[in-house]
Amino acid sequence: MSDYDEVIKLYGTEGFEELLKEVEDSNPRFNDLPLETKKFAIGLIMTGKVLGKVPGLNLGYYTRRIPTIEEFLTAEYIGDTSQVLFGKWKDDLIKVFSPDSTILQWSLTGAIGTGKSTVGLIAQLYNLYRILSLRRPQLSMGSDPSKPMTLQLFTVTKEKAQATLMDRVKLLLKQNRYCTQVQHENQFGLYFGDPLVEQFTPWVDRGEEIIFPHSIKIVAGSQDRHALGEDVFGGLLDEAEYRLGAQGRIDKAFSLFDNIFERIRSRFLGVPYVLMTLISSISHEKGVMSTKIGQMRGDPTCRVSQYAIWETKFPEALKEDGHIWVVRGTQRHPSRVLDPEECLLADKGKFDIPPGCEVFKVPKRYQKDFELRTESSLMNLAGKASMGQEIPFDDLTRVEDKSLCPVLHLQAPLTLPGRPATKPIREQLPKNLFIATPNGLRFRRYPGAARYGGWDGAAVSTAGFAVVHKELNQTGRVMYVADLLLKITSVNRVNLEAVKEFIIDLRDVYGLSFHTFTADQYQSEQLLQKLTSIGFAQNVKLLSVVKTRNPYDTLSTVVAQDCLKTGQLRDLWQELEGVYFEKDKVMRQYNTSDNNTSHGDLADALCQAVYNAVQNPFDIPTNMYIESEEHKKALSKTWVGDFKQIYGEHDGRNDSRVSLIH
């Protein structure tokens, strides 16, 4: 957007018109200018485009000259902190507050002890200093002049916010020669009217709040309601990695950050003096900071600063010490320090990096730390997310067998009161899934093998269904082969009667024999009662795969041993990658980008089916799983026609929604 477009968007807004009138009333020479000139000048000032460029005009808008960020990082404004601020952070602060910066959100993460919290506070205080330099802050930012404006500081608890953030803010304010602590707000009037005294900003310490003129304040808390009802222009959330909450859900931790940011963005849209900072050391790959970093990268309004300890404190360490190479690994390929021969290969770019891993240089002074405590050193010293044992599905590259049926999306009939489903769900299955026999259509792949099913009705309008059976590979290992991986969706509510008919059709129409069928607790009682009453399987029961780790641990072991085979995983790939363990709990990182509405239902259904199969040791398969390329090519030819019709030519792994049309 051009400067002109940005300015004219402000025309007619309440704050714009009030500020224009006040400047006209108090500046006769300005009042003599043509109306369009006056309007454009006010607009330029409100957007900050003329900061420091038109001194005479600025005097009517600012009470003092605003220092550049480089000037603010000196002892005059931040005292002795200027002597210990690392160069890496100075560079980042300059970029965040450059005249052409569009940064609204800044994540500071990485290693422990690099000064992230101090830098985040300095950023917020510089932004606050700019606002306090406005002659009429609320009007200039388009807010109600009678309404307080707030900078919110949050951490794990309100007490910690007070002890770790507010106390440091007060110390920084006391070091700023232009900020003066007074005993009461009635003393604020002493600092107005004279250009000499207007250079200074008075403030009052109220313990949990710091009060400035014009009803501007800093508030500490642990929840966004601690400053409810006030206009928030800035927020700092510290130690977000530890806000996962009782249920461990990442979205709960981020709701705080997002709630504050939405307040800022909605109230001060287009105003330059707003900033949200998220600060924490980094934990595992599915942790808060890793998740947020993934969301922020590539967004021009966001900046991510993630540094190792040596990049901030000892920037010359790699040159001075020499280096070793470290692998940040996965569950299948654990993190480790490379041996000397491997380091030589890495220096030449010839080291074969395992799937899902990365290698990076570490100064030799940290070699012993990484050798003794590799995972913790990755997080605490290198500032990298640990993958470790918490990520059960870090490498799915050997799961897919494209001769098998891929993940399919079926559309459930609409739920209409008093009206039966018009078309059976089974008719949406690809025709090449079956072969014709004297007894009717049968599954093409080993139709006589015992089947294991799992149903997960994770949401009202979507559900997952999986069917697997066992085969035996050429080395005698049991393989778990997926017959069906189905996403069943509806535009309103999944028709459970139609689903029941479909599941029963797998037995009665296509001849599958089920040993075990399970379902989670969500809307499954009637389904299980019906299947039990007709003797659908030897075992029909409830099974939750998220209350304990055991089912997903089982599925993870099967995958790690290369014993699970499916067709193209498509969006199931993302669902499985989103599963992680936090101690004994199963967690899930939901990815709702690209219209992906997945809530893990298909992953849970697959987990149920495989877990059911593993729990039956008496089912010893005799059907062979042939891994030769010739066999795969021969089988895959069966699917080519339907696949291209249904999915198109592309791989589709990242497709968020695939439709079946016959």
Side-chain angles (χ1 to χ4, degrees):
M1 182 184 297
S2 67
D3 291 353
Y4 178 77
D5 293 333
E6 191 172 344
V7 167
I8 62 173
K9 283 182 65 176
L10 297 171
Y11 288 8
T13 62
E14 182 179 354
F16 179 90
E17 295 298 335
E18 289 188 34
L19 184 61
L20 175 61
K21 186 176 186 307
E22 285 206 22
V23 175
E24 285 177 331
D25 292 344
S26 59
N27 294 272
R29 293 181 63 186
F30 179 81
N31 197 25
D32 291 338
L33 295 172
L35 177 60
E36 283 303 312
T37 302
K38 291 187 291 185
K39 290 171 65 175
F40 196 71
I42 293 297
L44 283 173
I45 295 176
M46 289 186 71
T47 60
K49 300 298 182 181
V50 295
L51 178 60
K53 298 177 183 177
V54 189
L57 196 57
N58 285 350
L59 288 177
Y61 193 70
Y62 301 99
T63 60
R64 59 190 173 191
R65 188 184 73 86
I66 299 179
T68 65
I69 183 62
E70 291 92 337
E71 293 171 328
F72 192 80
L73 299 180
T74 63
E76 190 173 8
Y77 294 92
I78 60 173
D80 293 340
T81 305
S82 63
Q83 303 301 314
V84 295
L85 187 64
F86 299 128
K88 203 76 171 176
W89 291 124
K90 289 182 180 179
D91 293 341
D92 277 2
L93 283 162
I94 291 170
K95 291 174 182 175
V96 169
F97 292 107
S98 65
D100 57 350
S101 173
T102 60
I103 303 301
L104 300 178
Q105 298 184 73
W106 186 16
S107 280
L108 299 88
T109 184
I112 291 175
T114 59
K116 299 181 294 294
S117 296
T118 298
V119 174
L121 289 174
I122 289 173
Q124 291 293 348
L125 290 179
Y126 178 63
N127 191 50
L128 174 66
Y129 190 92
R130 298 192 299 178
I131 292 172
L132 291 170
S133 300
L134 297 169
R135 191 167 295 280
R136 300 169 184 82
Q138 278 84 350
L139 279 178
S140 299
M141 297 183 69
S143 180
D144 184 341
S146 64
K147 197 170 184 181
M149 294 200 308
T150 303
L151 166 61
Q152 297 190 37
L153 308 178
F154 296 93
T155 186
V156 181
T157 64
K158 188 174 182 180
E159 292 72 24
K160 188 172 182 181
Q162 179 66 32
T164 64
L165 296 179
M166 288 293 277
D167 290 349
R168 293 163 74 181
V169 166
K170 294 169 188 176
L171 180 61
L172 285 167
L173 288 174
K174 290 176 181 178
Q175 294 184 80
N176 188 327
R177 62 165 295 186
Y178 298 103
C179 293
T180 303
Q181 185 176 3
V182 297
Q183 296 302 311
H184 198 273
E185 291 133 88
N186 59 18
Q187 297 175 263
F188 287 171
L190 301 175
Y191 292 83
F192 293 100
D194 186 335
L196 292 178
V197 298
E198 285 184 341
Q199 301 298 309
F200 300 90
T201 296
W203 59 280
V204 174
D205 181 0
R206 281 191 182 173
E208 294 183 356
E209 296 182 337
I210 300 174
I211 309 299
F212 300 92
H214 304 293
S215 299
I216 295 173
K217 61 177 72 174
I218 302 176
V219 177
S222 61
Q223 301 177 32
D224 60 348
R225 66 173 178 265
H226 284 140
L228 196 62
E230 298 175 355
D231 285 344
V232 181
F233 62 83
L236 182 147
L237 178 58
D238 199 4
E239 295 302 333
E241 198 66 64
Y242 306 101
R243 292 193 58 88
L244 287 176
Q247 301 300 317
R249 289 279 297 275
I250 290 177
D251 54 345
K252 286 189 177 181
F254 277 130
S255 66
L256 178 61
F257 183 92
D258 292 335
N259 284 345
I260 301 170
F261 181 65
E262 284 307 315
R263 284 196 202 178
I264 294 173
R265 185 165 58 178
S266 62
R267 191 66 197 87
F268 299 114
L269 184 64
V271 177
Y273 305 129
V274 296
L275 181 67
M276 189 71 190
T277 47
L278 178 64
I279 302 169
S280 179
S281 302
I282 205 160
S283 183
H284 53 72
E285 184 71 12
K286 304 300 181 185
V288 172
M289 288 306 296
S290 294
T291 302
K292 193 62 180 177
I293 286 171
Q295 296 172 352
M296 293 176 71
R297 292 201 190 279
D299 187 336
T301 67
C302 301
R303 181 172 181 82
V304 176
S305 297
Q306 180 179 1
Y307 300 121
I309 188 74
W310 55 87
E311 291 179 297
T312 53
K313 285 189 173 182
F314 312 108
E316 300 299 317
L318 285 170
K319 294 180 181 179
E320 295 172 355
D321 299 2
H323 65 271
I324 57 172
W325 287 88
V326 173
V327 175
R328 186 185 75 125
T330 65
Q331 182 174 347
R332 186 175 294 189
H333 309 287
S335 302
R336 63 186 179 88
V337 177
L338 298 188
D339 63 38
E341 291 185 3
E342 291 173 321
C343 284
L344 290 175
L345 290 173
D347 285 335
K348 298 175 182 178
K350 296 182 179 180
F351 177 72
D352 189 11
I353 303 174
C357 301
E358 69 165 312
V359 295
F360 61 95
K361 294 179 181 179
V362 172
K364 283 188 175 179
R365 69 182 69 180
Y366 300 108
Q367 181 170 352
K368 190 63 67 178
D369 296 283
F370 277 88
E371 289 175 343
L372 295 176
R373 299 173 295 276
T374 307
E375 289 294 334
S376 62
S377 296
L378 278 170
M379 295 182 289
N380 299 338
L381 299 178
K384 293 183 177 290
S386 169
M387 300 180 82
Q389 299 300 311
E390 296 167 317
I391 313 301
F393 305 110
D394 54 87
D395 185 0
L396 297 169
T397 55
R398 292 184 56 81
V399 169
E400 291 182 337
D401 177 345
K402 293 184 181 179
S403 69
L404 298 172
C405 182
V407 170
L408 303 176
H409 285 261
L410 307 186
Q411 186 71 34
L414 294 177
T415 301
L416 299 174
R419 299 176 63 179
T422 56
K423 189 175 182 180
I425 295 176
R426 70 172 186 269
E427 294 186 10
Q428 298 179 51
L429 292 174
K431 297 175 183 177
N432 286 346
L433 184 62
F434 308 100
I435 56 173
T437 74
N439 296 319
L441 293 178
R442 293 294 181 265
F443 271 67
R444 183 178 296 275
R445 194 174 187 104
Y446 302 129
R451 257 61 181 189
Y452 303 85
W455 165 266
D456 186 272
V460 170
S461 60
T462 182
F465 180 55
V467 177
V468 304
H469 69 274
K470 297 181 183 179
E471 297 181 13
L472 203 65
N473 74 0
Q474 293 168 311
T475 64
R477 179 175 291 180
V478 175
M479 308 295 290
Y480 300 86
V481 180
D483 297 289
L484 293 174
L485 296 171
L486 306 180
K487 239 350 174 13
I488 301 176
T489 58
S490 175
V491 295
N492 57 357
R493 180 185 294 269
V494 171
N495 189 322
L496 293 179
E497 287 300 318
V499 169
K500 278 191 280 187
E501 290 180 10
F502 170 68
I503 293 172
I504 294 170
D505 284 346
L506 293 177
R507 184 193 71 171
D508 295 350
V509 177
Y510 300 125
L512 290 185
S513 174
F514 281 84
H515 179 276
T516 304
F517 182 94
T518 58
D520 74 336
Q521 297 183 13
Y522 187 82
Q523 295 186 341
S524 61
E525 184 176 349
Q526 291 183 355
L527 171 63
L528 294 179
Q529 286 178 353
K530 176 65 175 179
L531 297 182
T532 300
S533 69
I534 64 173
F536 180 79
Q538 293 184 37
N539 298 297
V540 177
K541 55 189 177 182
L542 287 170
L543 175 64
S544 172
V545 297
V546 296
K547 287 186 176 180
T548 68
R549 306 178 37 151
N550 193 34
Y552 265 111
D553 269 330
T554 300
L555 178 59
S556 173
T557 300
V558 170
V559 171
Q561 293 176 350
D562 195 23
C563 291
L564 176 66
K565 294 298 175 182
T566 74
Q568 288 182 314
L569 291 170
R570 303 183 183 277
D571 44 352
L572 177 56
W573 189 298
Q574 295 178 348
E575 287 191 24
L576 290 171
E577 283 189 331
V579 174
Y580 68 100
F581 300 140
E582 187 176 279
K583 296 182 179 179
D584 294 329
K585 296 180 180 179
V586 178
M587 308 299 177
R588 201 183 318 275
Q589 179 186 37
Y590 297 144
N591 180 6
T592 58
S593 62
D594 301 326
N595 298 318
N596 186 346
T597 56
S598 169
H599 287 80
D601 44 6
L602 187 50
D604 286 354
L606 174 62
C607 183
Q608 288 185 54
V610 172
Y611 183 73
N612 293 338
V614 172
Q615 294 301 301
N616 181 18
F618 301 106
D619 177 14
I620 301 174
T622 57
N623 300 312
M624 296 300 296
Y625 177 80
I626 308 299
E627 297 183 275
S628 68
E629 290 300 319
E630 292 75 12
H631 177 77
K632 290 184 178 182
K633 289 178 181 178
L635 283 176
S636 66
K637 289 180 182 178
T638 305
W639 296 100
V640 167
D642 270 5
F643 282 4
K644 288 185 178 179
Q645 175 189 350
I646 297 168
Y647 302 107
E649 300 285 348
H650 59 288
D651 178 286
R653 178 175 301 154
N654 294 319
D655 289 1
S656 58
R657 184 68 57 182
V658 182
S659 297
L660 271 170
I661 302 173
H662 280 274

